[in-house]
Amino acid sequence: MRIALVNGSPKGGASNSGILLEKLKPLIAEGNELSVYRVNVKPLKPEQYGELNEADVLVLAFPLYFDAIPSHLLRMLVEFEQYRQSKQGNTDLIVYALINNGFYEGHQCKIAADIVSNWCSRSGLRFGMAVGHGAGEMFKSLSRVPLGKGPLKNLGAAMHQLSAAIHARSSAESLFIQPNFPRIAWRLAATHSFWHAQAKKNGLRPKELRRQAFQQSR
């Protein structure tokens, strides 16, 4: 079975979407042919769209942008839809989604999962399921934690359900999860280790992050 893995992160280097795909690979590698594609600033080439068109399974991994799909990945989906209108390919291609977001709650990914599902209906594809995970910025610090252990216990269970659906090329109910980590502890860690660090990097003080974006003029 030919499985195309599409990393839709806009980052040029390591990404949370890439980490999720690396966690998934060992669960679906046996007996299958895996191909990885990177979609960011540069669009895919026509021959790459041809490869996607002949795949049996398409897995889209991407970060949540304003409760939706990043614009560069949306462009790729539109172009792929147009490509399929002019070329014959696998008429039973099934699509799965791996979505991560910076909020704690995984259900923030539901609208993006619905967008992928609607795109599948429009493009004549089958939608399998989505896994939406919250607290995505934790993945980098947890990249060496075994899947299904500690904070990644929920992710491990979800990934096994996703891999089972992929092997069977079947549809299942989408899963929206968060790490096995207290929300209050996640918020404190994110504030001091991420947001404050990013503010300092950009010449800002923590209190400036709490300013209102727009102040009423007098």
Side-chain angles (χ1 to χ4, degrees):
M1 183 165 60
R2 291 165 294 186
I3 303 177
L5 307 174
V6 176
N7 182 343
S9 171
K11 295 180 180 178
S15 67
N16 299 321
S17 300
I19 292 173
L20 286 174
L21 289 177
E22 289 300 319
K23 297 286 187 184
L24 177 64
K25 280 181 182 179
L27 303 179
I28 60 175
E30 186 176 356
N32 297 315
E33 177 185 338
L34 306 185
S35 299
V36 180
Y37 300 84
R38 192 69 185 263
V39 178
N40 42 40
V41 177
K42 295 182 179 180
L44 294 182
K45 299 176 181 179
E47 56 267 30
Q48 292 176 309
Y49 282 120
E51 293 167 2
L52 294 181
N53 203 31
E54 295 297 330
D56 299 297
V57 172
L58 175 60
V59 180
L60 302 173
F62 60 92
L64 191 70
Y65 272 46
F66 294 96
D67 287 342
I69 298 175
S71 60
H72 60 279
L73 181 60
L74 182 60
R75 177 188 63 190
M76 174 242 147
L77 297 182
V78 171
E79 291 178 351
F80 185 41
E81 177 187 343
Q82 294 171 346
Y83 183 93
R84 285 182 58 84
Q85 290 174 353
S86 61
K87 304 287 185 180
Q88 288 186 344
N90 188 346
T91 58
D92 196 30
L93 175 59
I94 187 167
V95 180
Y96 301 90
L98 268 174
I99 312 167
N100 73 90
N101 77 82
F103 299 101
Y104 181 78
E105 296 82 10
H107 66 73
Q108 290 285 152
C109 300
K110 187 178 186 305
I111 294 176
D114 289 341
I115 292 174
V116 175
S117 177
N118 291 338
W119 172 76
C120 288
S121 297
R122 176 185 173 90
S123 304
L125 305 173
R126 285 199 296 136
F127 178 67
M129 65 176 290
V131 171
H133 199 292
E137 292 302 329
M138 288 185 65
F139 287 138
K140 187 174 181 180
S141 62
L142 300 175
S143 59
R144 296 186 179 182
V145 175
L147 193 62
K149 302 294 184 181
L152 299 184
K153 184 177 180 180
N154 286 341
L155 181 62
M159 285 292 205
H160 279 88
Q161 292 186 53
L162 174 61
S163 63
I166 290 174
H167 280 293
R169 300 186 69 251
S170 62
S171 297
E173 184 176 354
S174 293
L175 303 171
F176 302 102
I177 57 176
Q178 43 271 340
N180 301 84
F181 194 79
R183 191 181 192 280
I184 184 64
W186 164 81
R187 182 175 178 179
L188 290 172
T191 298
H192 295 285
S193 300
F194 183 76
W195 296 116
H196 286 183
Q198 288 294 312
K200 184 177 180 180
K201 183 178 178 181
N202 289 279
L204 299 172
R205 291 174 295 177
K207 69 177 182 179
E208 293 178 281
L209 297 177
R210 294 187 287 272
R211 286 181 180 175
Q212 292 185 2
F214 301 98
Q215 295 183 353
Q216 185 176 2
S217 61
R218 295 181 179 179

